[in-house]
């Protein structure tokens, strides 16, 4: 199987770019953040604090997460309920970023991610795909952009969806998530030594997609 790992901070454009490139080359796109978000959502629903490690561990055996692909679109199922929309709130983002620092949560999701990759050609995006989940991926990309540009993109996305948004709040939330994701002890966000680094600060989405498509063509001949 061929594996492409795309890691990077929130708002770098990973999911949109990975989804488009995957469709172009006929690979399955796996958004691993959605798996962590499903755990974050379970914890919020159970009214368990994301930093209460014991309570989180107690809850894990009751959580069953699976992925379904409909016309190439990933759906996340939490105990058979489709939670693909419910996991996209700011509240879930913050709880998820905290809970994803717990080693048992990471172990819990590791085998599911590896199983999907064992059975499919994938573009998998996340924070630790190139470093931990798929260390033998044939191509690793680390995608980043300046904090301000990532916040602007997220702000615009929320406005476009008709959601309430405040730029300063979005920026603060991105900064907090970056700090949590980069400073945790297990599987912190960092580029793999052999990752191709791409900075999309000055690129439009279309330019980023064709740039990544070019790297895939050049490195893998696809
Ligand atoms: O990619 P995202 O914003 O949907 O991810 C949500 C959170 O999940 C993010 O703050 C960190 C965590 N995460 C992780 O720790 N490892 C991954 N492979 C993917 C996401």
């Amino acid at each position: 199987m061929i594996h492409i790992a795309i890691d990077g901070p929130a708002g770098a454009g990973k999911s949109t770019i990975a989804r488009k490139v995957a469709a172009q080359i006929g690979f399955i796109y796996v958004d691993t953040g959605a798996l962590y978000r499903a755990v974050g959502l379970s914890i919020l629903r159970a009214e368990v604090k994301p930093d209460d490690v014991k309570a989180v561990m107690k809850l894990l055996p009751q959580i069953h997460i699976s992925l379904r692909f409909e016309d190439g679109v990933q759906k996340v199922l939490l105990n058979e309920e489709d939670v693909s929309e419910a996991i996209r709130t700011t509240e879930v983002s913050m709880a998820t970023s905290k809970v994803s620092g717990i080693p048992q949560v990471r172990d819990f999701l590791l085998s599911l991610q590896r199983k999907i990759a064992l059975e499919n050609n994938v573009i998998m995006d996340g924070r630790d795909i190139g470093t931990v989940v798929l260390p033998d991926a044939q191509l690793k990309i680390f995608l980043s952009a300046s904090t301000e540009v990532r916040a602007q993109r997220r702000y615009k996305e929320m406005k476009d969806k008709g959601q309430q948004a405040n730029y300063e709040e979005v920026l603060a939330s991105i900064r907090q998530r970056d700090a949590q994701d980069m400073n945790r002890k297990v599987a912190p966000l960092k580029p793999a030594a052999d990752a191709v680094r791409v900075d999309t600060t000055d690129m439009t989405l279309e330019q980023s997609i064709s740039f990544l498509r070019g790297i895939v063509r050049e490195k893998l001949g696809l």
Side-chain angles (χ1 to χ4, degrees):
M1 291 296 161
I2 302 173
H3 299 151
I4 301 175
I6 303 189
D7 292 299
K14 296 187 304 285
S15 55
T16 315
I17 298 168
R19 186 179 306 117
K20 288 270 164 64
V21 175
Q24 290 170 357
I25 62 174
F27 278 29
I28 283 183
Y29 161 60
V30 184
D31 165 13
T32 63
L35 304 173
Y36 284 90
R37 284 171 180 271
V39 175
L41 178 66
S42 309
I43 277 150
L44 286 174
R45 283 181 173 176
E47 297 184 12
V48 164
K49 292 222 170 64
D51 43 12
D52 183 346
V53 178
K54 274 201 182 135
V56 171
M57 279 172 65
K58 222 173 129 194
L59 197 67
L60 284 181
Q62 295 167 39
I63 302 177
H64 183 256
I65 298 170
S66 55
L67 292 182
R68 200 170 60 204
F69 295 91
E70 284 174 10
D71 300 327
V73 178
Q74 172 183 296
K75 299 276 177 200
V76 193
L77 305 185
L78 171 60
N79 298 332
E80 305 309 319
E81 173 195 348
D82 182 352
V83 293
S84 312
E85 293 294 321
I87 57 173
R88 297 291 158 198
T89 66
T90 308
E91 200 191 2
V92 172
S93 302
M94 296 315 288
T96 304
S97 179
K98 285 209 179 101
V99 91
S100 60
I102 301 175
Q104 288 84 352
V105 169
R106 306 203 69 82
D107 279 349
F108 176 73
L109 294 175
L110 187 61
S111 50
L112 174 58
Q113 296 170 75
R114 288 205 174 134
K115 183 170 184 288
I116 298 168
L118 207 64
E119 294 164 356
N120 301 281
N121 290 326
V122 293
I123 296 191
M124 195 173 270
D125 93 23
R127 303 292 188 286
D128 62 337
I129 309 305
T131 51
V132 177
V133 181
L134 303 175
D136 297 326
Q138 288 88 340
L139 175 60
K140 300 178 186 176
I141 293 169
F142 193 84
L143 207 63
S144 61
S146 76
T147 320
E148 289 73 17
V149 162
R150 288 188 285 122
Q152 272 161 18
R153 289 176 187 164
R154 187 51 54 93
Y155 172 76
K156 186 173 176 300
E157 196 179 286
M158 291 169 82
K159 281 279 184 195
D160 289 349
K161 280 189 195 158
Q163 295 170 353
Q164 287 268 352
N166 170 300
Y167 173 74
E168 292 303 327
E169 278 174 25
V170 174
L171 181 63
S173 139
I174 288 218
R175 286 211 169 107
Q176 192 184 338
R177 278 223 278 158
D178 280 359
Q180 283 171 186
D181 294 348
M182 287 188 285
N183 297 325
R184 66 178 178 225
K185 288 196 184 71
V186 278
L189 169 65
K190 66 162 190 226
D194 51 350
V196 180
R197 298 181 193 216
V198 179
D199 186 328
T200 67
T201 304
D202 298 318
M203 293 185 203
T204 62
L205 191 56
E206 290 310 316
Q207 286 169 336
S208 309
I209 293 165
S210 51
F211 194 74
L212 269 268
R213 179 71 189 89
I215 295 176
V216 170
R217 194 177 292 120
E218 182 194 319
K219 302 274 181 191
L220 301 177
L222 291 167

